[in-house]
Amino acid sequence: MNKRFKSCAALVAVLLFAATGADAAADVAHIFWKDLRPAKQAVAEDANLPMIAAKLPDHGETLSLTLRDRNIQLAGYALPVDREGDLVYQFLLVPWTGACSHMPTPPPNQIVLVTPAHAYKMTEAYEPVSVTGVLKPGMEKSQLFILDGVSIVQSGYTVRRAEVASVDTVPDTVTLPVNSPWNFLNKKKN
């Protein structure tokens, strides 16, 4: 009888864990980059990429407060801010490759400062990743170390204790124009 009770208790525990895990996954809002800017703000293609803060009337500082404290999932390109070797402790999530280091910075409402729950092993800058965690609107400045010096980048959102996963593609990525000196970043890696 005792073994049967333990087996039933274990089964109930597994079922409860599976049910709460499914509920937690259902609470994640899968968002796109457009969700982080006001609806009336131009998309990157309309602003003649690169969409830079100087081209926008509000300098890209108008944030979406409807997503405040929501558990979100967003795919983008990771640009390391704090790293040691291939372990990354903090990075900027941006909507296109080359943003911030190789071309003018996107507006703050198109940059997310991400602190992974665990150091993320990154093989290259601008690695496509998916970030899941609680979105906090608010301006933050980060020092980005690039080949030609230090750049200060302002992000409009943060996700701390984020779960980070590598992805093959970013569904709403902005493709650089053919005449961009950085269009080689559009090419898929084999």
Side-chain angles (χ1 to χ4, degrees):
M1 185 78 161
N2 196 12
K3 286 183 183 180
R4 185 179 295 172
F5 178 75
K6 286 181 182 178
S7 296
C8 288
L11 179 61
V12 169
V14 167
L15 292 174
L16 282 174
F17 178 76
T20 57
D23 289 344
D27 289 342
V28 174
H30 298 271
I31 66 170
F32 297 100
W33 287 99
K34 67 179 176 59
D35 299 323
L36 298 180
R37 67 174 188 269
K40 63 184 183 241
Q41 190 178 84
V43 295
E45 297 90 338
D46 296 340
N48 219 3
L49 192 76
M51 179 177 63
I52 56 173
K55 291 184 177 183
L56 302 170
D58 67 348
H59 301 286
E61 293 181 356
T62 303
L63 306 177
S64 176
L65 300 180
T66 59
L67 296 169
R68 177 191 305 260
D69 298 326
R70 292 278 316 269
N71 198 19
I72 60 98
Q73 184 175 58
L74 176 65
Y77 299 93
L79 183 59
V81 172
D82 183 13
R83 74 183 305 163
E84 186 177 317
D86 60 355
L87 294 179
V88 176
Y89 300 97
Q90 194 171 57
F91 62 88
L92 298 174
L93 189 68
V94 295
W96 61 80
T97 59
C100 298
S101 68
H102 298 306
M103 61 177 48
T105 305
N109 64 18
Q110 295 293 283
I111 302 174
V112 180
L113 179 63
V114 178
T115 306
H118 310 282
Y120 180 72
K121 188 173 184 176
M122 186 178 291
T123 57
E124 61 189 3
Y126 298 112
E127 183 173 314
V129 297
S130 173
V131 171
T132 305
V134 177
L135 187 73
K136 299 279 188 186
M139 298 294 182
E140 283 211 29
K141 290 184 179 180
S142 302
Q143 285 189 349
L144 183 63
F145 297 94
I146 50 179
L147 293 176
D148 54 353
V150 176
S151 180
I152 304 296
V153 177
Q154 188 168 23
S155 55
Y157 301 93
T158 58
V159 176
R160 303 208 192 289
R161 301 187 51 74
E163 292 301 321
V164 181
S166 181
V167 295
D168 291 329
T169 60
V170 175
D172 59 338
T173 191
V174 174
T175 302
L176 301 174
V178 175
N179 63 351
S180 166
W182 305 106
N183 68 0
F184 69 90
L185 294 169
N186 289 334
K187 298 193 181 4
K188 294 203 179 212
K189 296 172 183 155
N190 296 328

